[in-house]
Amino acid sequence: AQSVSQHNHHVILSEAASLELGCNYSYGGTVNLFWYVQYPGQHLQLLLKYFSGDPLVKGIKGFEAEFIKSKFSFNLRKPSVQWSDTAEYFCAVGGSQGNLIFGKGTKLSVKP
Amino acid sequence: NAGVTQTPKFQVLKTGQSMTLQCAQDMNHNSMYWYRQDPGMGLRLIYYSASEGTTDKGEVPNGYNVSRLNKREFSLRLESAAPSQTSVYFCASSPGTSGVPGAYNEQFFGPGTRLTVL
């Protein structure tokens, strides 16, 4: 069965620091990969997605992610975080039934 | 365009009570999903409906039933609530197989229902 691992449970950064959140998935075939963000008290919103093509994908709010097939990784990055980026971030891989298989999430706290 | 809507937003039940969580989408999506979110566990799939008239179990279906009432609506029922079902429940929809590679996995989420079972 497919699975997703997010290695950091809670990340604390100061504003303007760079961010990288790790995500690894287990499936070795064609994968569809996603990062979702959940701001406090809100529902999940799509940050970015990878289906095929350029392995460096850009999303909303200055986020980007790089798909590295050889490492089964899809890490999320942002060069300079803001206080408003405080949220929980979920990596997900597309399942065979159209569902999403989520990692356990990484909480990001940005100190002003 | 409201997207995905869920009712109620909050609910408190006593052990053994039943209730139905409602979900509707106005994006003409084929597929709909119910997830539960628990601290430190991410989101786990309860049930899904790949298309109108079909439903299938996900990772954690025990204690739940679903109905795909029509293309727009997908309800989740707890017949006899237990404290272990205290969670936040999210409904999601996706286009389903649309010919666009990978697009069928992209899901749109509702605002969630926070359920507490005492």
Side-chain angles (χ1 to χ4, degrees):
Chain A
Q2 293 166 302
S3 64
V4 177
S5 297
Q6 291 183 244
H7 312 297
N8 310 104
H9 177 62
H10 191 185
V11 173
I12 303 173
L13 295 173
S14 297
E15 274 193 316
S18 63
L19 170 72
E20 181 160 3
L21 300 182
C23 172
N24 287 91
Y25 60 93
S26 62
Y27 182 59
T30 301
V31 288
N32 302 318
L33 295 160
F34 304 82
W35 275 98
Y36 280 84
V37 61
Q38 186 178 31
Y39 297 103
Q42 296 190 25
H43 63 286
L44 276 77
Q45 302 170 43
L46 182 68
L47 266 182
L48 48 78
K49 60 193 177 189
Y50 172 79
F51 296 156
S52 64
D54 189 342
L56 185 62
V57 292
K58 295 193 184 298
I60 60 171
K61 305 188 181 188
F63 286 91
E64 64 179 30
E66 185 175 14
F67 169 59
I68 303 179
K69 189 174 182 179
S70 61
K71 295 185 177 180
F72 298 87
S73 71
F74 190 56
N75 292 354
L76 181 71
R77 300 195 292 244
K78 186 171 185 179
S80 175
V81 295
Q82 301 171 323
W83 177 79
S84 57
D85 293 323
T86 294
E88 191 160 14
Y89 293 80
F90 293 94
C91 181
V93 63
S96 59
Q97 302 301 324
N99 59 307
L100 289 173
I101 298 157
F102 285 89
K104 294 186 177 180
T106 298
K107 285 188 180 167
L108 172 65
S109 299
V110 180
K111 299 184 291 185
Chain B
N1 231 4
V4 180
T5 57
Q6 291 182 237
T7 56
K9 285 188 168 54
F10 301 94
Q11 184 72 49
V12 179
L13 293 177
K14 294 181 180 177
T15 297
Q17 287 185 315
S18 62
M19 79 161 294
T20 299
L21 282 64
Q22 306 287 355
C23 173
Q25 52 91 10
D26 62 3
M27 295 174 282
N28 200 35
H29 284 170
N30 290 314
S31 303
M32 298 184 74
Y33 307 84
W34 277 105
Y35 295 89
R36 59 178 288 173
Q37 183 182 27
D38 301 293
M41 299 293 290
L43 279 79
R44 293 178 292 169
L45 183 66
I46 306 171
Y47 269 94
Y48 66 98
S49 171
S51 60
E52 188 178 354
T54 69
T55 60
D56 283 288
K57 295 178 181 179
E59 182 186 353
V60 289
N62 290 347
Y64 306 95
N65 283 301
V66 290
S67 295
R68 183 75 182 266
L69 304 169
N70 48 54
K71 192 171 185 179
R72 289 187 63 247
E73 299 171 287
F74 188 40
S75 62
L76 178 72
R77 182 159 178 84
L78 286 70
E79 290 292 351
S80 178
S84 60
Q85 294 178 305
T86 292
S87 188
V88 181
Y89 292 85
F90 287 100
C91 178
S93 70
S94 72
T97 51
S98 65
V100 179
Y104 76 100
N105 278 146
E106 181 177 348
Q107 297 188 5
F108 298 79
F109 286 82
T113 295
R114 187 172 293 275
L115 174 66
T116 301
V117 183
L118 303 175

